[in-house]
Amino acid sequence: AGHLPLWNSLNGMGAPLAANYQSALFYPPTWLLLPFYLMGGAGGLAMGETWSVVLHLIWPGIGMVFLMRKLGCGKFAQAVAALAFSLSGYLVTRATFLSINVAVAWLPWVILAAEYLTGERKPGLKAILGSSLIIGLLLLAGHAQTAFYTLLLAGCWVLFRQSCFGWKSTGKVVFTWGLSVLLGCGLAAIQLIPTAEYLMQSQRAAEIGYDYAVNYSFLPWRFLTTLMPNLFGTPADGTYLLKADAYWEDAIYIGLLPLILGLGALILAIWMKHSDDSLRIRGMTIFLAVVSVIATLIALGSNTPIFPFLYNHVPTFDLFQAPARWMIWFVFAFSVMAGIGTEAWHQPGKWGRFWLNLTLALGATMTVVALLAGYLVPEIPGVFIKAFTIFGISIVLGCILAKTNPLPSEKEGSRVSIWRWAVVLFVSLDLLLASWGFHQGADPSLYEKATAAAKEIKAQADGGRIYISSDDLQQLQYDTFFDFRDFRMDGKWDALANAVLPNTNLYGGLSSLNNFDPLIPRLYNQLLTWLDFDDEEDHSDLLHYVGLTLVEIVEGEGGRSQFESFSGCLRFRWADCQLYVRADCLREMAPGSTEQSFNKEAEIVVIEERPDKLTLRVVTPAHGWLTVYDLYYPGWQVQVDDRAAKLERIEIFFRGVELEAGEHIVFLNYQPPSFFIGFVITLGSLILMVVLWIRIRKSG
């Protein structure tokens, strides 16, 4: 819209926008979506996001190719490792969790950067600049949890890899890595510093609650899905059986064959007498196995005493929810191990052929038994029959590929090429089948309907805010539209467009009292807590203080809603006395109890309003205070008649300014110092990197 995207005035009672980390407004690919919006509006933007999702599934695959090449593996191993990671259940099922989709794509690249900084030789300036750029992009991608886990894994990688070359130069390598991270943070400072300020002003300023932190702990039953990804069904077709589990949070399938190859690499590393310098199988594989075990133990969350101990005694474990997301270490480690195992894959010997034949027979038997069980015992859930049938067929096909592995002497030739392509095709189809249909698509016209609905309701709201209670929201979101066990949206799209759920109010410029960002201001969160009280009278009293004009109420099933008028207060109010209200008594205030304090003869006219600016003409009959019923937040400044004035926090949550009698021009604008400090640091870091790069180019 042509405004500096610092403040979102339409959600909650206003909230920082650029400082909201998951908005990723300073991540360069985000701005590539602008042409899609200019050409097709919100629907065009959705199409652009779709392409972004696809490209951010391809990008980590490319990163895995370069990483495996750096580790000494050939093209065949590179392909298997890349497919196992980029098409893994962890990445694909989270694809439309846009910030995770973008951030996790940089994990292989960050590890690759770490690999270039280790070794016997001193890393060059080019490697340091490249690493800094990659880290900067990771930090701008918009998901702090994934970025933190990635950098932590990279730090472990640096220490391990350097130990392989001796500890003499470890100090220099650690310093170089730290310098790269510091410069990367400098590149991302325009995002990190405002976000840090927002974090301190948010509901997460202290630790998050334990119950919230252990939400989405990895479910032990889901270990079975490393072999059969949809053993318990899938939300893609509405067959998911586990009520207390979110499918995507525990999805870690990397493919049956890559998993076996990874385990094979581990067995080989354990029994090897001498390390293979070309592949570094022994040390690398054992390190990756340890990483997998550590990730698994933490990811189990509340299911073991380990995570509770870490939550209570180790910093950072109380910052994020969903311990299952630690399994990104497991997925990455086993994908690399799969590449190592592929490189060491050879035609089986005598005993190997015996076990292969036995396994092939087992797979064929499992397939037949599963099909017969489905026919003879209809009480068995169909998802079990389907999962065991696919598992049995996969075992048979995998054994056939292993038995037909060309002889070591046949390193090249058409037979080898055909066999390798068959393996790649098998891995690809296995992974695609596992997550097929998981993400539902919609016609772009859906966004036109949502925009029209938001504009229509905006007209009804007459400049005020709308609100939906937490109970009605729960019914609409999770009981009607977004069932965790069934993602199918057949026949629901139109109702969804008209429901004005978060954050479709933005399409029509509609102001909503609700805000569903991951970070929300602490004052606003306090207000929401009060609004959830069961006492309807208290609930109604509170709503009079937030400029509400419409309340969304759910009617029956199917997502039908109606919007009822609410006689709330105006957005602006002048009082001849300043009203300070303690937090413990605001709920007890009825609107009429302070009626005598407000002079209704004051004239308040909006001259200009933008998301981060507001200009009012105020004519007051006496000395008093102007209250703007938008959220008080650091960074907002006020001028009265072109002179700086003090911005007051009135009635706990809102902005106010003291005025003398007469006519005044009141100008409020949002100019957070954190943004400008971050901008200067980012600009300085960019200039430094460009200067150093030019110096490198000139020196040849």
Side-chain angles (χ1 to χ4, degrees), residues 665-688:
I665 299 298
V666 180
F667 175 64
L668 294 96
N669 68 323
Y670 183 58
Q671 291 187 336
S674 58
F675 168 74
F676 298 102
I677 293 172
F679 173 77
V680 170
I681 295 175
T682 293
L683 182 62
S685 300
L686 280 171
I687 292 174
L688 176 62

Side-chain angles (χ1 to χ4, degrees), residues 330-582:
F330 176 94
V331 170
F332 171 78
F334 256 87
S335 296
V336 175
M337 290 166 62
I340 294 174
T342 301
E343 191 73 11
W345 196 3
H346 56 78
Q347 192 179 60
K350 178 180 178 181
W351 281 105
R353 288 193 296 272
F354 169 79
W355 287 110
L356 272 178
N357 290 331
L358 186 62
T359 305
L360 191 153
L362 178 63
T365 303
M366 183 184 301
T367 303
V368 173
V369 170
L371 292 173
L372 287 175
Y375 178 75
L376 298 175
V377 189
E379 292 79 10
I380 298 177
V383 293
F384 292 163
I385 301 301
K386 182 178 179 181
F388 277 96
T389 300
I390 294 175
F391 183 48
I393 294 173
S394 298
I395 290 176
V396 170
L397 294 176
C399 289
I400 292 174
L401 288 172
K403 287 171 64 67
T404 57
N405 189 344
L407 294 171
S409 59
E410 300 181 55
K411 294 183 178 180
E412 300 297 337
S414 59
R415 184 169 179 266
V416 174
S417 179
I418 292 172
W419 179 81
R420 288 178 174 175
W421 275 108
V423 172
V424 169
L425 181 62
F426 173 71
V427 173
S428 301
L429 291 177
D430 181 21
L431 289 166
L432 289 172
L433 181 63
S435 301
W436 190 261
F438 193 81
H439 300 294
Q440 303 294 312
D443 191 277
S445 63
L446 172 72
Y447 296 90
E448 298 176 7
K449 298 176 182 177
T451 302
K455 289 182 176 179
E456 180 181 348
I457 297 168
K458 180 183 179 182
Q460 298 177 35
D462 192 26
R465 297 185 173 106
I466 66 167
Y467 171 70
I468 180 171
S469 69
S470 58
D471 290 339
D472 283 346
L473 182 65
Q474 173 75 20
Q475 182 176 343
L476 279 180
Q477 282 187 309
Y478 302 118
D479 298 338
T480 303
F481 295 120
F482 308 124
D483 187 342
F484 275 28
R485 292 183 294 161
D486 189 352
F487 287 177
R488 294 172 298 178
M489 290 289 292
D490 298 338
K492 297 181 182 179
W493 289 118
D494 288 345
L496 176 62
N498 292 319
V500 195
L501 284 177
N503 286 312
T504 57
N505 59 294
L506 299 178
Y507 297 144
L510 173 63
S511 183
S512 172
L513 180 58
N514 301 100
N515 187 346
F516 304 92
D517 294 331
L519 283 182
I520 56 176
R522 183 170 58 250
L523 290 177
Y524 172 77
N525 186 63
Q526 184 180 7
L527 177 65
L528 287 186
T529 301
W530 290 348
L531 287 176
D532 284 336
F533 282 131
D534 294 331
D535 191 317
E536 294 185 2
E537 184 177 351
D538 287 344
H539 187 256
S540 178
D541 289 346
L542 279 172
L543 292 178
H544 281 85
Y545 291 89
V546 291
L548 191 67
T549 56
L550 285 180
V551 176
E552 183 174 0
I553 299 175
V554 178
E555 289 185 329
E557 300 179 354
R560 295 188 304 274
S561 303
Q562 67 173 355
F563 292 84
E564 295 185 354
S565 297
F566 184 87
S567 180
C569 65
L570 298 176
R571 184 178 170 202
F572 311 108
R573 188 165 59 177
W574 177 83
D576 54 18
C577 72
Q578 187 175 19
L579 182 62
Y580 283 108
V581 184
R582 297 195 318 273

